[in-house]
Amino acid sequence: MKKNFVEELRWRGMLAQIMPGTEELLQKETISAYLGTDPTADSLHIGHLCGIMMLRHLQRCGHRPIILVGGATGMIGDPSGKSQERNLLDEETLRHNQECIKRQVARFLDFDTDAPNRAEMVNNYDWMRDFTFLDFAREVGKHITVNYMMAKESVQQRLNGTARDGLSFTEFTYQLLQGYDFLHLYRTMGVKMQLGGNDQWGNITTGTELIRRTLGIEAEAGAITCPLITKADGKKFGKTESGNVWLDPGRTTPYRFYQFWLNVSDEEAEKYIKIFTSLEKDVIDGLIAEHRADPGRRILQRRLGEEVTILVHGEEALKAAQEASGILFGKATKDALAALDEQTLLDVFSGVPHFTVGRDQLGQPAVELFTQAAAIFPSKGEMRKLVQGGGVSLNKEKLADFQQVITADDLIDGKYLLVQKGKKNYFLVTVE
């Protein structure tokens, strides 16, 4: 017996609003539901994950997920909390971004089997690009009043907000364009439900209204939104000091991705493990109980990091991220250090003191290089004592002789030297 999709969202804390009749519609038949995403970048970030997980749970509950890439709507901007209109994308960039996004979403959804509820990706640019203004005015504009559109909270916030230029006509029509997407998918693919973040509720309900006014009140159309995910301090989820946490490993390394989840608070971990994993309720309840009994072991954070990293990057990437974590926080070998790609190496040691020296400094003894060119040690005498006591490592191997000559052969990635003083004090030297 298939799971109840609404109940699944409810216990996971992923249900914000639901249109009356939607739950009954889901129980009555297999539903096709869609969620829209913005194609202005060639990667999603973790701020998109709640919506993608909604689609994943929808498919696991036996229904059919459709992901809509907003090639047309993404060109004009959405008044829901945005301060500026978006930039125009050319079609080549749009298609590239669409393919990149599909590869990422395919890790969460089944696109490829013969299952009747296999996922599909569509792009509203395909049906909007030849839609004339006269067509739009006749088929869409006549059904929705300006009064109805003005009453939307997203429009009111923008009109009464601090934006210098107010709300453009282009943005004002956004809810009609998004509403037409729902109507088009309803007609052509039998899509009866739209999913989205709670900031999209106004746009989504415009779609259900357009369907009823166009096709009659007997047309069944539902809507569900998930809450906007925030951090424990109320700030926007997914943002770090260095920007978004992306799903693309070229933008955010799997190591840094994994570390993001390891570093969330206990309160956040209890919330996130329900939202961003597919673990069953009894497993999550057990993990929460175990974590509360001994918070210092960070059981929740570790399991959360493992589950989400596997989902996004795969098991091999998780293993590499865990090994990279061990380089800084535990025992590791020179081979493990050498196996890191350059960006992961920089991510792992981003918080340690850095020195930069010229390539002409190579060829001199370690005691000269690490006290003069890179002042890791305050004096030659202190470095000698530490080396003689076995307290200095170079690239994760004990430095046996403070007079050892440092050459290009010692460089990691042909560019870096990692010096360790004692157990916990690391220094990264870049040789340029």
Side-chain angles (χ1 to χ4, degrees):
M1 186 174 177
K2 69 181 182 182
K3 289 183 180 180
N4 182 307
F5 176 56
V6 175
E7 284 304 315
E8 188 75 9
L9 295 185
R10 189 172 280 128
W11 78 258
R12 289 181 182 276
M14 296 173 70
L15 183 65
Q17 296 188 74
I18 180 169
M19 182 166 286
T22 300
E23 190 163 7
E24 292 78 6
L25 188 60
L26 283 159
Q27 292 171 346
K28 184 173 67 172
E29 58 188 274
T30 298
I31 289 295
S32 292
Y34 88 96
L35 177 136
T37 192
D38 175 14
T40 50
D42 61 2
S43 174
L44 301 176
H45 55 72
I46 59 174
H48 295 107
L49 276 185
C50 186
I52 300 303
M53 289 303 294
M54 287 179 83
L55 290 177
R56 180 174 172 85
H57 292 308
L58 180 86
Q59 190 170 47
R60 287 161 67 93
C61 289
H63 302 287
R64 185 185 182 206
I66 310 290
I67 184 159
L68 180 144
V69 173
T73 44
M75 289 179 175
I76 65 167
D78 172 2
S80 306
K82 309 296 190 302
S83 60
Q84 295 179 329
E85 293 189 37
R86 294 170 177 150
N87 295 324
L88 184 72
L89 295 175
D90 60 64
E91 187 166 358
E92 183 181 354
T93 302
L94 176 63
R95 297 301 180 188
H96 167 75
N97 292 355
Q98 177 180 336
E99 285 307 307
C100 292
I101 290 169
K102 184 173 183 180
R103 282 196 296 271
Q104 292 178 343
V105 176
R107 299 193 66 91
F108 295 80
L109 304 176
D110 167 24
F111 283 92
D112 299 323
T113 70
D114 293 329
N117 69 328
R118 66 182 176 277
E120 189 166 342
M121 176 174 275
V122 295
N123 189 329
N124 63 8
Y125 183 72
D126 292 332
W127 58 83
M128 292 303 300
R129 62 183 167 188
D130 297 322
F131 201 39
T132 69
F133 182 76
L134 290 177
D135 292 334
F136 184 75
R138 184 177 64 249
E139 293 191 30
V140 182
K142 74 175 186 179
H143 291 292
I144 303 293
T145 67
V146 170
N147 295 31
Y148 179 88
M149 296 168 68
M150 289 289 290
K152 296 295 183 180
E153 185 180 358
S154 58
V155 173
Q156 288 296 317
Q157 285 177 345
R158 186 64 186 272
L159 286 174
N160 300 325
T162 57
R164 288 181 302 172
D165 300 325
L167 179 70
S168 73
F169 174 77
T170 308
E171 289 179 289
F172 184 55
T173 58
Y174 185 93
Q175 62 175 288
L176 293 182
L177 290 168
Q178 186 169 329
Y180 181 73
D181 286 340
F182 200 171
L183 175 61
H184 176 84
L185 292 175
Y186 191 100
R187 281 171 164 165
T188 60
M189 298 177 66
V191 174
K192 292 188 177 181
M193 187 167 70
Q194 186 178 170
L195 308 174
N198 205 35
D199 60 335
Q200 292 293 316
W201 182 253
N203 293 334
I204 292 172
T205 53
T206 297
T208 59
E209 186 71 11
L210 182 61
I211 287 169
R212 291 191 180 99
R213 292 188 184 190
T214 303
L215 304 178
I217 57 172
E218 68 279 358
E220 295 179 300
I224 295 178
T225 59
C226 61
L228 299 182
I229 311 302
T230 57
K231 295 190 285 190
D233 59 7
K235 292 181 180 177
K236 192 171 183 179
F237 168 76
K239 290 277 189 179
T240 66
E241 290 181 6
S242 55
N244 284 320
V245 179
W246 298 91
L247 306 195
D248 180 359
R251 289 173 177 253
T252 298
T253 61
Y255 166 79
R256 189 154 67 88
F257 185 89
Y258 176 62
Q259 287 294 318
F260 172 84
W261 302 101
L262 285 191
N263 290 320
V264 302
S265 69
D266 291 350
E267 179 186 345
E268 290 165 338
E270 287 196 16
K271 180 168 71 170
Y272 296 166
I273 201 162
K274 296 174 184 176
I275 296 171
F276 299 114
T277 79
S278 299
L279 295 174
E280 300 293 345
K281 188 175 187 302
D282 58 340
V283 175
I284 290 176
D285 288 344
L287 287 167
I288 290 173
E290 194 177 353
H291 179 88
R292 288 179 178 176
D294 188 2
R297 292 171 60 199
R298 299 183 72 77
I299 289 168
L300 270 184
Q301 286 90 340
R302 291 180 186 281
R303 186 63 181 273
L304 173 64
E306 289 170 2
E307 293 290 330
V308 185
T309 304
I310 288 173
L311 256 180
V312 173
H313 296 296
E315 292 194 19
E316 285 301 312
L318 169 65
K319 184 179 177 182
Q322 290 173 326
E323 288 176 354
S325 301
I327 289 171
L328 187 57
F329 304 115
K331 293 181 179 179
T333 64
K334 182 179 180 180
D335 289 341
L337 185 64
L340 298 180
D341 62 86
E342 182 177 13
Q343 189 54 57
T344 301
L345 175 75
L346 294 175
D347 282 348
V348 170
F349 296 104
S350 62
V352 310
H354 279 60
F355 296 91
T356 301
V357 302
R359 198 159 284 268
D360 59 351
Q361 298 291 331
L362 295 174
Q364 61 179 311
V367 70
E368 298 290 340
L369 182 62
F370 299 135
T371 60
Q372 304 299 315
I376 293 171
F377 300 90
S379 69
K380 295 178 182 179
E382 180 180 314
M383 183 177 172
R384 287 191 188 100
K385 287 180 183 176
L386 282 168
V387 171
Q388 288 167 348
V392 177
S393 295
L394 175 65
N395 300 338
K396 282 294 179 178
E397 290 188 338
K398 292 289 184 185
L399 190 64
D401 183 0
F402 54 82
Q403 292 286 2
Q404 177 182 322
V405 174
I406 306 300
T407 71
D409 291 338
D410 295 307
L411 299 178
I412 304 164
D413 283 339
K415 192 174 180 182
Y416 302 102
L417 296 166
L418 180 67
V419 179
Q420 187 175 353
K421 182 178 9 173
K423 288 185 177 181
K424 296 182 179 179
N425 298 311
Y426 289 93
F427 304 86
L428 189 64
V429 180
T430 303
V431 180
E432 294 182 338

